[in-house]
Every structure is written in structure tokens, then in C-alpha cells.
């Protein structure tokens, strides 16, 4: 009984932080809605046109990214390519930083008034940048699930069809659910991302909603425009629940993994090709941005202006990551061991908030907490932290859940026979067994919080801005050298610690 009471307390806290803002927002949208206003709003070309743009952009980026990530994942996970670890570490960089940084780099590469600027500023450039940013997602998922395919199945197929045949007829068909998951993740992340489209002047639906809310103070229009985004997020969640819920196999450590040995000429050829791809999508835009920094004094001057937003970024990200690690582990415990009868609904709810565009969650937070008696939350950094926890709880919970499901039930049963209650099992068995996973959860949560700009842009109180938000505000009138220096600071602030942690983990 105590365990269920504790679980309901965790769920109630999640409802307060993440779900209640959406409920309040939907209630406000429907209570102030009339069909005439709704018809008038969505008959506007910029509104329905931006919605179509968002759907098309999301579909194209998700399709190309999933296919390309599958190819890279196969190459990195199933071959002995010597440079795979190095290439993967570079490929992940755009995912670690705010997406608009890559867009700024490409503006420096191509220029505003060059021959190719018409390609960059629009659908093509936006799709290319988002492809660069989200390519690591299907790549890593493909690698993870390929390494879960039973080697005995591959061995049997290799006797008749060889390595390529085993890959084609056994391994890849078995990871189709993972590829569908990659497609859905990239689709919904692209659909909710507007900072790249803002920089590259392409009209997308979340940007249109953001402008209506923050620039024109047209709250009714912003609320009504949030409803289609909720429908899209719910559709993605429905596909994930219906198609993927029982098809994604549990992750476990295998004793061996079949690796295809590449001849030397293929090692060289694949290394050159993948190296050129990464040079194009990662190194070139970032290097071009860094080269705009004329001297060290410009960098120091930028740091002198940005040290407080940078400090805010670290503090908020650390706090958010700590709460996500704790809250995610407890949520994973509730879901993995089905502590309450409605654990499926709780599981779906946290995933729903992840799929929901950040602008919708931010508007909900404002509507819920913007009250005189709640200034302790609305007028402080707490509202930013609440946004982080609500948005990214699913990431932390799913990582912890995978680990909990790998722990042998016999360990818990032995403890219970010895007289240990549920909290003792949680403290002395599940927590120690999950230590490495929790460190990884903290690191991933920190990165997601640090790079986040959409929620923070809408909800942060005066004087509480983070570095990603500060850079966005400087884009309007700031000098290119200053913006480049600020971009360099944010890239180094996250990439350097990530590189150090990766090296220590490898060692």
C-alpha cells in the first residue's frame, strides 16, 4: 500500500508540472473558441500554408534522415571500420547544440546575397540543417538494435547467404520497429522545431504560433493554433502505442556480436566517404562560424557579456538534469513494475509531452502559472525548470526503464524473501544496479536542457535568460563577430565536457 501511495505522489507531481498546463491550455482554447473565428484563422494563407510546410518538412527530413542513419548505423555497428568511433563522436555534435547554430554556420558558408542563398533560405536549407542535426538519432538507434539481434540467427543465415544476405534478410527486418521509431522521433522533433526555420526565413507552423503569441499578443489565435499541434503529437503517440509497443524487443547485453570484416580497400573507401559527409554536415558550418572570430579579444568581449546567461544555462541544466534523473528513475520504476493500475496511461502521458511541440507546453505553463499568488514560480527560474522536466521526462524514464527491465527478478525476490520491503529493494538493489545508467541519464538530460531554447524563450522571467536565448536575442542587431563568438562559447561549453566524459568512459 505504501508503494502505491508513493507512486501516486510521483504521478501527481508529474500532472502538476507537465500535464496540467496542457489541460488548462486546451480548456482555454475550447472555452474561447467559436467556429467563425476558427474558420477565419485557418483560412489565412500564412496559417494553413505554414501547417502544410511543417508536415512536408517533417516528412521529408524524417524519411531521408532515417534512411541515411540506417546506412551509417549498419556501417558503424556491423563492420570493423576503424574510424567508426571517431566519426560517430563528430556526427553527434550538431545534436548537442542548439539547432540554429548550424544554420548560422551555413549562412557564413554560403552568404546572404550569394548565388546559392535562395536555396539556403527556404525549404531546402531548413531541411538540410535539420537533417544534419537529427541524423545521429536513427544512426544510434540502428546501432543499438542491430547489436541486439541474436548472433545465432545471423550465423544460420550466413551459411547460405553470406554476411550481406544475413544483414539483408535477418538483421534489418528485425530492426524495422526501431527504424519506425527513428522516423517518428525525427518527424515530431522536426515538426516542433522552429529556430532553424526562423533563421532561414521559412514559414513553419510552430513559428507562426510563436509569433502570434509573443510578438502580436494574439493569445486566442495562438491557443487555437496549438490544437492542431496537439493532434499531430497525439497521432504520433498513437502510432507508437499501437505499432511499436510490443515490437521493440528488450535491450540486453549479448555475449558476442557478429562483425563483418572489411578488406583494406573498403576500409579506406568507406572512411573517405563518411569523412567527407561529416566534413560537409558538421565541420564546415562550425569551422566557418569559428573563423569569423577575428581575434581573441572579440571572444573575451562576448564572454564578458554572456557569462551570466552562460551561468544560468549551467545552473538550470544541472538542476533540470538532477530532477529528471530522480523523477525519471521513479517513473521508470512505476512503469517497469506496474506499480499502479493506470501505469500505461502514465507511460503514454510522459511520451505525449515529449512528442508535443515545445511552444504548446510553454503556452500551457504561462496560462497555468501566470497568477499573482504563484509568482514564486512564474517570476523565477522554477518555471523554466518545470518546462525542462515536463518536456524531457520521457527521455530519462525510458533510459532508466530499459535498465530496470534488465535486472534479474531473482535478485529482488531473494531480497523480499529475506524481509526487505519495496523501498529497501529500490535503495539497495535497483539503485546500485542502475548507477551507470543514471549517470548516462544525467548527462543526456543535461545536454537536452542546455540546448533548449523554445520553452525558455517563452517562459523565462526578466534577468533569467539562458545562453541559447541570449544568442537568439542578439541575432537581430548584434555584430556577426559577436554572434559567432557566442556560438563558439556555447559549442565549446557542451562539446568539451562531452568529449572528456566520452574519453573517460572509453578508458
Amino acid at each position: 500500500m505504501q508503494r502505491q501511495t508513493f507512486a501516486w505522489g510521483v504521478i501527481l507531481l508529474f500532472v502538476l508540472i507537465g500535464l496540467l498546463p496542457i489541460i488548462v491550455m486546451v480548456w482555454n482554447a475550447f472555452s474561447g473558441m467559436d467556429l467563425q473565428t476558427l474558420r477565419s484563422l485557418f483560412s489565412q494563407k500564412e496559417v494553413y500554408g505554414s501547417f502544410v510546410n511543417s508536415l512536408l518538412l517533417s516528412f521529408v527530413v524524417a524519411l531521408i534522415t532515417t534512411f541515411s542513419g540506417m546506412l551509417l548505423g549498419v556501417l558503424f555497428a556491423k563492420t570493423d571500420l576503424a574510424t567508426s568511433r571517431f566519426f560517430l563522436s563528430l556526427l553527434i555534435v550538431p545534436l548537442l547544440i542548439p539547432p540554429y547554430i548550424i544554420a548560422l554556420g551555413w549562412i557564413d558558408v554560403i552568404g546572404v546575397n550569394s548565388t546559392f542563398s535562395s536555396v539556403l533560405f527556404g525549404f531546402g536549407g531548413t531541411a538540410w540543417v535539420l537533417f544534419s542535426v537529427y541524423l545521429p538519432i536513427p544512426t544510434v538507434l540502428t546501432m543499438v538494435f542491430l547489436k541486439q539481434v541474436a548472433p545465432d540467427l545471423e550465423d544460420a543465415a550466413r551459411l547460405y547467404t553470406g554476411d550481406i544476405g544475413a544483414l539483408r534478410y535477418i538483421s534489418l527486418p528485425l530492426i524495422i520497429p526501431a527504424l519506425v521509431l527513428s522516423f517518428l522521433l525525427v518527424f515530431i522533433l522536426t515538426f516542433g522545431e522552429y529556430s532553424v526555420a526562423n533563421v532561414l526565413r521559412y514559414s513553419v507552423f510552430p513559428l507562426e504560433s510563436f509569433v502570434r503569441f509573443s510578438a502580436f499578443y494574439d493569445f486566442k489565435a495562438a491557443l487555437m493554433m496549438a490544437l492542431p499541434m496537439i493532434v499531430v503529437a497525439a497521432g504520433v503517440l498513437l502510432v507508437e502505442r499501437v505499432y511499436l509497443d510490443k515490437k521493440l524487443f528488450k535491450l540486453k547485453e549479448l555475449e558476442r556480436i557478429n562483425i563483418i570484416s572489411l578488406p583494406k580497400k573498403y576500409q579506406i573507401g568507406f572512411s573517405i566517404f563518411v569523412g567527407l559527409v561529416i566534413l560537409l554536415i558538421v565541420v564546415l558550418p562550425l569551422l566557418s562560424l569559428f573563423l569569423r572570430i577575428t581575434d581573441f579579444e572579440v571572444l573575451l568581449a562576448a564572454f564578458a557579456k554572456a557569462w551570466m546567461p552562460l551561468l544560468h544555462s549551467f545552473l538550470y541544466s544541472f538542476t533540470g538534469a538532477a530532477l529528471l534523473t530522480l523523477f525519471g528513475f521513479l517513473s521508470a520504476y512505476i512503469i517497469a513494475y506496474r506499480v499502479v493500475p493506470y501505469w500505461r496511461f502514465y507511460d503514454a502521458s510522459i511520451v505525449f509531452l515529449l512528442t508535443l511541440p515545445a511552444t504548446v507546453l510553454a503556452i500551457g505553463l504561462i496560462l497555468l502559472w501566470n497568477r499573482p499568488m504563484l509568482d514564486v514560480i512564474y517570476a523565477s527560474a522554477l518555471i523554466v525548470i518545470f518546462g525542462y522536466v515536463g518536456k524531457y521526462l520521457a527521455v530519462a524514464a525510458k533510459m532508466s526503464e530499459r535498465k530496470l527491465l534488465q535486472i534479474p527478478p531473482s535478485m529482488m525476490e531473494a531480497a523480499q524473501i529475506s524481509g526487505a520491503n519495496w523501498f529497501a529493494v529500490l535503495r539497495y538493489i535497483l539503485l546500485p544496479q542502475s548507477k551507470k545508467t543514471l549517470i548516462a541519464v544525467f548527462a543526456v538530460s543535461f545536454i537536452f536542457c542546455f540546448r533548449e531554447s523554445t520553452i525558455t524563450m517563452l517562459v523565462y522571467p526578466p534577468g533569467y535568460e539562458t545562453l541559447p536565448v541570449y544568442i537568439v536575442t542578439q541575432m537581430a542587431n548584434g555584430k556577426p563577430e559577436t554572434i559567432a563568438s557566442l556560438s563558439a562559447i556555447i559549442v565549446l561549453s557542451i562539446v568539451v565536457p562531452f568529449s572528456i566524459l566520452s574519453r573517460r568512459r572509453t578508458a
Side-chain angles (χ1 to χ4, degrees), residues 10 63 164 227 278 293 422 442:
V10 173
L63 188 65
I164 302 301
L227 296 178
I278 292 177
I293 304 172
W422 68 272
F442 180 87

mmCIF file of all heavy atoms in Angstrom, residues 10 63 164 227 278 293 422 442:
data_model
loop_
_atom_site.group_PDB
_atom_site.id
_atom_site.type_symbol
_atom_site.label_atom_id
_atom_site.label_comp_id
_atom_site.label_asym_id
_atom_site.label_seq_id
_atom_site.Cartn_x
_atom_site.Cartn_y
_atom_site.Cartn_z
ATOM 1 N N VAL A 10 4.247 10.550 -7.007
ATOM 2 C CA VAL A 10 5.097 10.873 -8.160
ATOM 3 C C VAL A 10 4.243 11.258 -9.357
ATOM 4 O O VAL A 10 4.523 12.243 -10.058
ATOM 5 C CB VAL A 10 6.005 9.668 -8.508
ATOM 6 C CG1 VAL A 10 6.763 9.921 -9.808
ATOM 7 C CG2 VAL A 10 6.982 9.388 -7.370
ATOM 8 N N LEU A 63 12.206 11.015 -43.374
ATOM 9 C CA LEU A 63 12.441 9.931 -44.330
ATOM 10 C C LEU A 63 13.917 9.844 -44.709
ATOM 11 O O LEU A 63 14.537 8.772 -44.641
ATOM 12 C CB LEU A 63 11.580 10.155 -45.577
ATOM 13 C CG LEU A 63 11.568 9.017 -46.607
ATOM 14 C CD1 LEU A 63 10.936 7.766 -46.008
ATOM 15 C CD2 LEU A 63 10.810 9.443 -47.868
ATOM 16 N N ILE A 164 26.307 -10.291 -46.159
ATOM 17 C CA ILE A 164 25.359 -9.305 -46.683
ATOM 18 C C ILE A 164 23.947 -9.883 -46.681
ATOM 19 O O ILE A 164 22.972 -9.191 -46.348
ATOM 20 C CB ILE A 164 25.749 -8.870 -48.107
ATOM 21 C CG1 ILE A 164 27.177 -8.287 -48.103
ATOM 22 C CG2 ILE A 164 24.771 -7.843 -48.641
ATOM 23 C CD1 ILE A 164 27.364 -7.107 -47.192
ATOM 24 N N LEU A 227 -3.917 23.649 -31.018
ATOM 25 C CA LEU A 227 -4.737 22.434 -31.109
ATOM 26 C C LEU A 227 -4.284 21.490 -32.226
ATOM 27 O O LEU A 227 -4.180 20.275 -31.997
ATOM 28 C CB LEU A 227 -6.210 22.810 -31.276
ATOM 29 C CG LEU A 227 -6.834 23.562 -30.085
ATOM 30 C CD1 LEU A 227 -8.279 23.914 -30.387
ATOM 31 C CD2 LEU A 227 -6.727 22.731 -28.816
ATOM 32 N N ILE A 278 30.707 13.887 -43.081
ATOM 33 C CA ILE A 278 30.768 14.564 -41.785
ATOM 34 C C ILE A 278 31.452 15.923 -41.924
ATOM 35 O O ILE A 278 31.069 16.900 -41.260
ATOM 36 C CB ILE A 278 31.475 13.674 -40.754
ATOM 37 C CG1 ILE A 278 30.598 12.450 -40.461
ATOM 38 C CG2 ILE A 278 31.776 14.432 -39.472
ATOM 39 C CD1 ILE A 278 31.199 11.447 -39.525
ATOM 40 N N ILE A 293 35.500 34.741 -36.046
ATOM 41 C CA ILE A 293 36.057 35.394 -34.850
ATOM 42 C C ILE A 293 37.435 35.934 -35.210
ATOM 43 O O ILE A 293 38.387 35.167 -35.400
ATOM 44 C CB ILE A 293 36.147 34.399 -33.683
ATOM 45 C CG1 ILE A 293 34.774 33.775 -33.406
ATOM 46 C CG2 ILE A 293 36.667 35.091 -32.423
ATOM 47 C CD1 ILE A 293 34.805 32.645 -32.406
ATOM 48 N N TRP A 422 9.652 -2.826 -0.158
ATOM 49 C CA TRP A 422 9.842 -2.306 -1.516
ATOM 50 C C TRP A 422 10.880 -1.192 -1.570
ATOM 51 O O TRP A 422 11.645 -1.101 -2.532
ATOM 52 C CB TRP A 422 8.500 -1.783 -2.057
ATOM 53 C CG TRP A 422 7.993 -0.545 -1.357
ATOM 54 C CD1 TRP A 422 7.217 -0.490 -0.240
ATOM 55 C CD2 TRP A 422 8.271 0.802 -1.722
ATOM 56 N NE1 TRP A 422 6.982 0.815 0.128
ATOM 57 C CE2 TRP A 422 7.608 1.632 -0.784
ATOM 58 C CE3 TRP A 422 8.989 1.412 -2.747
ATOM 59 C CZ2 TRP A 422 7.658 3.020 -0.831
ATOM 60 C CZ3 TRP A 422 9.044 2.797 -2.808
ATOM 61 C CH2 TRP A 422 8.382 3.591 -1.857
ATOM 62 N N PHE A 442 21.697 11.423 -16.473
ATOM 63 C CA PHE A 442 22.013 12.795 -16.063
ATOM 64 C C PHE A 442 22.714 13.547 -17.195
ATOM 65 O O PHE A 442 22.376 14.702 -17.491
ATOM 66 C CB PHE A 442 22.904 12.785 -14.817
ATOM 67 C CG PHE A 442 23.266 14.159 -14.327
ATOM 68 C CD1 PHE A 442 22.440 14.832 -13.444
ATOM 69 C CD2 PHE A 442 24.430 14.794 -14.770
ATOM 70 C CE1 PHE A 442 22.763 16.117 -13.001
ATOM 71 C CE2 PHE A 442 24.762 16.070 -14.340
ATOM 72 C CZ PHE A 442 23.921 16.727 -13.443
#
